[in-house]
């Protein structure tokens, strides 16, 4: 497989550092040596295939090396620092960019997905190669998805269809996009997919014969006028056909353009000359011609499209483009690389090349701009998908500049796309020279002119319901946050007080001291008024804030006002008899003495074998935590004087409460199998809670009593081996 990779590099890439690539292979092989994929293959097969996909795109050494190492930080003991030391910081940043935030526990899948997407977008903004590696990673995972449990297949396929295929489209990488879409359809709707494959295959011979005749006729006519061209028939991919059938409620027989004929020529002049020949030989269908050469798509796609009447009266699509355009259509942004050599056939001066490249990623900057204003995970994901999926219209500024906007965009969207100040001063709009209302839906080809006020008057709050682009919405919200901050702060306080009252609490009571401070610091606000302002304009739900405050308030310790000295004195004065009694029960020693006034922290439930530490609390003695508990990290920073040494004493035959969570494919008999393991390992069960998520994944929370960490590990290992179990982990906080 390494030879296969080196062969692809030889045939597709410029001069690369093969020694570094071989070193990366050896490093990745050693790091993943003990790991297997779901198929049973050695794990190294996956990073090698990812590197091969990147080599097919003709990418550089660092990208291919990062492709070989892309799972090392996430799935092995090696760190970012190790990658930097062994290779370089450029490679380490690329690997870090594709590494998921796997160590953070989230309440919902939506929150986890949103945070990972945000991280990926920021990494893309710094270096677009991050998403190229991620797409190659997803593509190979989709090619091998058959080895995963059915529930996981559908989950992964849905995510690819919602996020990664649209991203590939935005980057102009049609070859990757088509394969991702077809593979997703195969697992999301297997019956429709295989039925479509079967029906298309039935007429394959007839279709190929028809296309062959068209190609022969076109070549003959192009040769007559001296146009050198390559012509082939390109079958439409299955997902494209499926969508057309569903959206337009058609049968396969009613979808006429199952195959497109593609003509590749040397230059733009020959594109239009070839189009003239095509329209001479075959009659064009009115309204079915598109010139993406004069007006390229935002993802850099350029081509002439025309639907014509072919032999036997059957319509078919013709696509005409240059070889360079074809390369861009296949690999998009990867074909327009800005590093080192510059782009062939364009101005290679560094400044122009940089500016040209950045202009192709303006949509990414727009997403980054508005996502910074959005804290709600569900709202962020919805907006992100809209930005990726939405169809577009192309309109002109009075100076002839082409502006692309979402479908059904209004003049307000246009104004904010031109400049923020133009949007804030917008009073009206002219389309093709006549005045139109601000809620007018712009159409492709229209010339738009914004009528502005002499001084900034600011947007109208109702514009949020009119605009279609997230960019415009975020700028309108930002204006209200700044210009009407005091009003937003008062409104935020008001809605929080109302929500607190609705839940049966007094806001002033539950928002005391550190509780409210923790909330606004969670959102990286500098002051509490920032939190009130964001709640006031609707960016943060009041229920989210109140629920969190209520949790802190209700879980707050009902303590007596004892000083640290009081507690230490109680520990010292406890009799030897009581010490032994407590020690026998808890199996703990505090500061070298028998354990007194001790309790196990419920946030992390330590058991023998865990590294532990004590914390002196008011009125409740010494609280014992695991050293890796997040709460302890905060205590060590802020209240080190309250921390005491704690060690395990004699604990034979004693039991300790702990909690584990099991994630598994929901199936008949799953709970019964888990209960059998608990019985076999002689584990005492305290409680069990189970629920099934939307993706048919069962989430089972179990509270039990174990003797030590070895007992717990044995239990987890046996549960992990059960059919359909995805993950078994101990709950920390």
């Amino acid at each position: 497989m390494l030879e296969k990779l080196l062969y692809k590099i030889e045939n597709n890439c410029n001069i690369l550092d093969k020694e570094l690539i071989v070193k990366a292979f050896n490093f990745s092989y050693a790091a993943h040596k003990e790991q297997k994929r779901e198929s049973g293959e050695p794990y190294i097969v996956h990073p090698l295939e990812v590197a091969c996909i990147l080599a097919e795109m003709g990418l550089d050494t660092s990208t291919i090396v990062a492709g070989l190492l892309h799972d090392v930080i996430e799935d092995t003991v090696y760190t970012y620092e190790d990658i930097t030391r062994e290779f370089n910081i450029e490679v380490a940043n690329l690997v870090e960019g594709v590494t998921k935030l796997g160590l953070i526990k989230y309440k919902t899948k939506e929150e986890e997905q949103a945070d990972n997407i945000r991280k990926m977008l920021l990494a893309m903004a710094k270096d677009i190669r991050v998403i190229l590696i991620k797409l190659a990673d997803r593509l190979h995972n989709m090619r091998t998805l058959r080895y995963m449990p059915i529930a996981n297949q559908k989950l992964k396929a849905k995510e690819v269809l919602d996020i990664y295929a649209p991203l590939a489209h935005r980057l102009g990488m049609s070859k990757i996009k088509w394969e991702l879409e077809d593979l997703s359809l195969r697992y999301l709707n297997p019956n429709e997919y295989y039925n479509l494959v079967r029906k298309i295959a039935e007429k394959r011979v007839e279709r190929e014969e028809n296309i062959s005749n068209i190609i022969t006729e076109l070549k003959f006519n192009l040769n007559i006028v001296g146009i050198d061209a390559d012509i082939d028939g390109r079958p439409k991919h299955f997902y494209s056909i499926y969508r057309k059938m569903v959206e337009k409620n058609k049968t396969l027989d009613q979808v006429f353009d199952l195959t497109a004929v593609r003509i590749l020529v040397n230059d733009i002049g020959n594109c239009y000359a070839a189009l003239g020949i095509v329209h001479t030989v075959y009659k064009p269908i009115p309204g079915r011609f598109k010139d993406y050469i004069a007006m390229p798509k935002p993802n850099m796609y350029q081509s002439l499209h025309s639907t014509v009447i072919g032999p036997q009266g059957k319509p078919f699509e013709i696509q005409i483009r240059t070889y360079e355009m074809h390369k861009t259509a296949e690999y998009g942004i990867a074909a327009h690389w800005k590093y080192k050599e510059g782009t062939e056939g364009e101005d290679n001066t560094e400044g122009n090349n940089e500016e040209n490249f950045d202009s192709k990623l303006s949509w990414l900057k727009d997403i980054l701009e508005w996502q910074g204003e959005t804290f709600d995970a569900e709202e962020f994901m919805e907006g992100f998908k809209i930005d990726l999926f939405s169809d577009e219209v192309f309109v002109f500024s009075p100076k002839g500049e082409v502006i692309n906007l979402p479908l059904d965009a209004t003049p307000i969207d246009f104004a904010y796309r031109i400049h923020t100040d133009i949007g804030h001063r917008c009073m009206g709009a002219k389309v093709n020279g006549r005045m139109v209302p601000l809620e007018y839906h712009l159409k492709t080809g229209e010339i738009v002119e914004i009528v502005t006020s002499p001084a900034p008057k600011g947007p109208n709050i109702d514009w949020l319901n009119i605009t279609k682009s997230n960019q415009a919405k975020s700028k309108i919200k930002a204006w209200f946050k700044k210009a009407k901050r005091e009003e937003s702060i008062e409104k935020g306080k008001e809605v929080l007080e109302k929500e607190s009252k609705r839940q049966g609490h007094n806001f002033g009571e539950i928002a005391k001291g550190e509780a409210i401070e923790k909330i606004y610091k969670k959102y990286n606000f500098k002051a509490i008024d920032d939190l009130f302002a964001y709640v006031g304009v609707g960016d943060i739900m009041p229920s989210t804030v109140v629920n969190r405050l209520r949790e802190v308030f209700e879980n707050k310790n009902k303590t007596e006002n004892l000083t640290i000295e009081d507690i230490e004195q109680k520990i010292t004065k406890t009799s030897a008899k009581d010490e032994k009694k407590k020690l026998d029960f808890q199996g703990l020693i505090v500061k070298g003495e028998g354990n007194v006034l001790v309790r196990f922290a419920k946030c992390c439930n330590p058991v023998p074998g865990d590294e532990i530490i004590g914390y002196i609390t008011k009125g409740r003695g010494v609280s014992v935590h695991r050293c890796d508990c997040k709460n302890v990290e905060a205590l060590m920073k802020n209240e080190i004087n309250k921390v005491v040494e704690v060690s395990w004493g004699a604990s034979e035959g004693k039991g300790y409460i702990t909690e584990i969570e099991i994630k598994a494919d929901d199936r008949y008999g799953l709970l019964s199998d888990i209960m059998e393991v608990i019985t076999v390992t002689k584990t005492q069960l305290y409680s069990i809670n189970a629920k099934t998520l939307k993706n048919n994944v069962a989430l089972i929370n179990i509270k039990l009593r174990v003797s030590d960490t070895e007992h717990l590990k044995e239990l987890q290992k046996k549960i992990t081996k059960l059919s359909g179990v995805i993950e078994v982990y101990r709950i920390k906080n």
Side-chain angles (χ1 to χ4, degrees), residues 5 38 44 105 182 202 253 283 294 435 452 542 614 673 717:
L5 171 60
E38 292 287 336
I44 189 64
K105 294 295 179 187
D182 282 355
E202 286 174 359
D253 293 333
K283 187 176 182 180
M435 292 296 295
T452 58
D673 290 347
K717 188 175 180 180

Side-chain angles (χ1 to χ4, degrees), residues 325-343:
M325 290 174 190
H326 181 60
K327 183 181 176 185
T328 300
E330 295 276 289
Y331 292 115
I333 208 75
H336 280 251
W337 203 240
K338 69 174 180 179
Y339 290 90
K340 294 182 182 178
E341 289 85 10
T343 307

Side-chain angles (χ1 to χ4, degrees), residues 317-511:
E317 187 182 59
I318 289 275
Q319 298 173 357
I320 308 170
R321 63 183 76 140
T322 66
Y323 293 98
E324 192 64 32
M325 290 174 190
H326 181 60
K327 183 181 176 185
T328 300
E330 295 276 289
Y331 292 115
I333 208 75
H336 280 251
W337 203 240
K338 69 174 180 179
Y339 290 90
K340 294 182 182 178
E341 289 85 10
T343 307
E344 184 181 347
E346 295 181 0
D347 185 349
N348 283 343
T349 60
E350 187 176 343
N352 288 342
N353 207 22
E354 181 92 15
E355 185 180 343
N356 184 36
F357 186 87
D358 288 343
S359 69
K360 295 174 172 66
L361 297 176
S362 58
W363 61 272
L364 176 58
K365 292 178 182 176
D366 291 342
I367 291 178
L368 284 171
E369 185 177 325
W370 67 256
Q371 70 88 28
E373 304 286 336
T374 307
F375 294 98
D376 182 73
E378 191 173 338
E379 182 185 346
F380 168 74
M381 288 309 300
E382 183 182 352
F384 179 65
K385 291 173 184 176
I386 288 171
D387 263 14
L388 289 182
F389 269 116
S390 61
D391 290 327
E392 293 175 307
V393 293
F394 301 89
V395 295
F396 294 95
S397 72
K399 294 181 179 179
E401 182 185 359
V402 179
I403 306 293
N404 61 292
L405 296 166
L407 187 67
D408 291 335
T410 65
I412 301 170
D413 292 289
F414 177 88
Y416 278 104
R417 179 60 59 86
I418 298 298
H419 195 279
T420 303
D421 188 52
I422 300 294
H424 290 344
R425 294 168 56 197
C426 177
M427 292 177 58
K430 292 181 180 179
V431 172
N432 295 338
R434 64 182 181 86
M435 292 296 295
V436 296
L438 290 178
E439 60 266 29
Y440 175 82
H441 291 170
L442 300 174
K443 301 175 185 62
T444 293
E446 292 180 328
I447 300 171
V448 186
E449 182 182 352
I450 300 298
V451 179
T452 58
S453 63
K457 67 180 186 66
N460 188 312
I461 193 68
D462 292 334
W463 288 4
L464 289 171
N465 301 319
I466 297 172
T467 53
K468 296 297 177 182
S469 65
N470 285 308
Q471 181 200 28
K473 289 180 190 293
S474 71
K475 288 179 178 178
I476 293 168
K477 286 181 181 179
W479 187 90
F480 280 102
K481 285 170 193 168
K482 184 178 179 181
K484 299 193 176 183
R485 179 174 170 79
E486 292 302 320
E487 183 182 327
S488 299
I489 290 170
E490 289 304 314
K491 187 176 180 180
K493 289 179 183 176
E494 183 184 335
V495 295
L496 285 170
E497 286 169 359
K498 283 183 180 179
E499 178 63 24
S500 300
K501 189 176 181 180
R502 189 186 69 80
Q503 295 191 26
H505 290 276
N506 181 290
F507 181 71
E509 186 179 350
I510 65 173

Side-chain angles (χ1 to χ4, degrees), residues 639-652:
E639 301 179 275
I640 189 67
N641 62 316
K642 295 184 183 181
V643 176
V644 293
E645 289 183 24
V646 184
S647 60
W648 295 104
S651 57
E652 292 182 10

Side-chain angles (χ1 to χ4, degrees), residues 189-203:
N189 296 295
N191 292 335
E192 288 89 340
Y193 175 81
Y194 287 109
N195 187 41
L196 194 59
V197 172
R198 179 180 55 79
K199 286 183 176 179
I200 290 175
E202 286 174 359
K203 296 187 177 181

